[in-house]
Amino acid sequence: MARRNRAAVRPRLTGRGVRLGRLASVRDARGRLIVAEAGAPLPFIPRRCFFVMDVPGKRVRGKHAQKKHEKFLVCLRGRVTVMVDDGRRRQEFLLKNPARGLHVPPMVWAEQYDFSPDAILAVFASARYDPRDYILTYDEFVRRVRRSKR
Amino acid sequence: MARRNRAAVRPRLTGRGVRLGRLASVRDARGRLIVAEAGAPLPFIPRRCFFVMDVPGKRVRGKHAQKKHEKFLVCLRGRVTVMVDDGRRRQEFLLKNPARGLHVPPMVWAEQYDFSPDAILAVFASARYDPRDYILTYDEFVRRVRRSKR
């Protein structure tokens, strides 16, 4: 657990620009405010935002890559592990601090698992839902990565 | 409590377009997904999103109107009461269902209170933070509303 936590703070970044971004966090007597703005830390204007919650601990979500669209993931409560894979390298990030988000660029396979029972994962996406942008099998993803490398 | 709940489901809408919007909600064996897209239910492209949490029960947040920018509020967990005031009428909404959000257009005074201890309030805003857009006192807000009515 401690090892995972360190990995989330100082990650080895994967090849295709996966990176952790810091969200502004303000605590005062009125509570806590966490801010995500287009520009920083979101490297895009979000056209879609969704929230994942009530995920049974053994379930895996995500399991896709996107061709052109990108995402930014923030765990608002609880914790979740995010696995990212650029077709060559694979890395896990433990998200458990709402002031830290993970940018997942296009053509990166991502999966989310080990949701704590109270976890709420916020996902900002650079485009509205478009099924044509999704790559839903890992084999197809790897084929596309290899093709783009030629 | 029951009365408040009914009010949140079938509100008397205030004069300046405050309204409840429905977020897509999908439940399956992998958990629950709540979706907010630009277009529907967000009547704008969000340039900023912030999350309010850990608010002591007696604290009031918000307490401002915006001149041009608009907001959409979703209570992801727990519950919070949102008061909106268009300078003529005042109305309370109890937000406690993440599939229901409240659109607060420009020139509507809003306050949030009675946060439950577990509450997480997501706020989508139509613009990045700009202090010039904020009206921070109710007197000034009412003066501006009256001036615009002439």
Side-chain angles (χ1 to χ4, degrees):
Chain A
M1 203 61 176
R3 192 173 55 80
R4 272 193 176 169
N5 189 14
R6 266 207 307 283
V9 172
R10 263 180 299 207
R12 296 164 295 119
L13 298 185
T14 69
R16 285 175 174 269
V18 172
R19 62 169 192 82
L20 286 165
R22 191 178 287 277
L23 289 81
S25 171
V26 181
R27 280 183 202 267
D28 62 22
R30 298 174 309 140
R32 186 175 188 189
L33 184 70
I34 300 279
V35 184
E37 278 198 348
L42 304 179
F44 52 81
I45 294 172
R47 256 77 180 185
R48 182 172 197 243
C49 185
F50 56 90
F51 302 98
V52 180
M53 56 187 79
D54 303 338
V55 181
K58 305 219 167 193
R59 289 289 177 163
V60 180
R61 296 197 67 118
K63 291 167 78 170
H64 64 257
Q66 293 203 237
K67 296 172 195 167
K68 294 182 182 168
H69 303 159
E70 45 196 316
K71 291 200 168 82
F72 191 88
L73 283 63
V74 182
C75 190
L76 297 173
R77 180 151 293 164
R79 60 181 196 280
V80 60
T81 299
V82 183
M83 184 275 277
V84 288
D85 181 321
D86 66 0
R88 297 178 300 147
R89 284 178 291 178
R90 182 167 279 214
Q91 187 175 349
E92 277 187 340
F93 292 85
L94 174 63
L95 298 186
K96 62 174 191 172
N97 175 352
R100 282 291 176 115
L102 188 70
H103 177 219
V104 180
M107 289 306 289
V108 168
W109 184 267
E111 301 184 0
Q112 299 95 46
Y113 42 81
D114 288 350
F115 286 80
S116 63
D118 60 341
I120 300 180
L121 178 66
V123 181
F124 296 92
S126 62
R128 296 183 56 166
Y129 176 67
D130 177 0
R132 294 168 301 182
D133 196 63
Y134 282 65
I135 305 168
L136 294 172
T137 72
Y138 187 73
D139 284 354
E140 165 70 5
F141 167 66
V142 171
R143 263 199 303 278
R144 280 178 178 266
V145 169
R146 285 184 187 151
R147 207 181 307 153
S148 71
K149 292 274 188 279
R150 276 177 206 158
Chain B
M1 204 62 173
R3 191 173 55 79
R4 271 192 178 169
N5 190 13
R6 264 208 307 284
V9 173
R10 264 182 299 210
R12 295 164 295 117
L13 299 185
T14 69
R16 286 175 174 270
V18 172
R19 64 168 190 81
L20 286 164
R22 189 178 289 276
L23 289 80
S25 171
V26 181
R27 279 182 203 268
D28 62 22
R30 299 175 309 140
R32 186 176 188 190
L33 184 71
I34 300 279
V35 185
E37 279 197 347
L42 303 179
F44 52 80
I45 294 172
R47 256 78 179 182
R48 182 172 198 243
C49 186
F50 56 90
F51 303 98
V52 179
M53 55 188 81
D54 303 337
V55 180
K58 305 218 167 193
R59 289 288 176 163
V60 180
R61 295 197 66 118
K63 291 166 78 169
H64 64 255
Q66 293 202 238
K67 296 171 194 165
K68 292 181 182 168
H69 303 160
E70 47 195 315
K71 290 200 169 82
F72 191 88
L73 284 63
V74 182
C75 190
L76 297 172
R77 181 151 293 164
R79 61 181 195 281
V80 59
T81 299
V82 182
M83 183 276 278
V84 288
D85 180 321
D86 66 1
R88 296 178 300 148
R89 284 178 293 180
R90 182 167 279 214
Q91 186 175 349
E92 278 187 340
F93 292 84
L94 173 64
L95 298 186
K96 62 172 192 172
N97 175 354
R100 283 292 177 114
L102 187 70
H103 178 220
V104 180
M107 290 306 289
V108 169
W109 185 266
E111 302 184 2
Q112 300 95 45
Y113 42 80
D114 289 350
F115 287 80
S116 63
D118 60 341
I120 299 181
L121 177 66
V123 181
F124 297 92
S126 61
R128 297 184 55 166
Y129 177 68
D130 178 359
R132 294 167 303 182
D133 197 63
Y134 282 65
I135 304 169
L136 294 171
T137 71
Y138 188 72
D139 284 354
E140 166 69 5
F141 167 68
V142 170
R143 264 199 303 276
R144 280 178 178 266
V145 169
R146 285 185 186 148
R147 207 182 307 150
S148 71
K149 292 274 188 278
R150 277 177 204 156

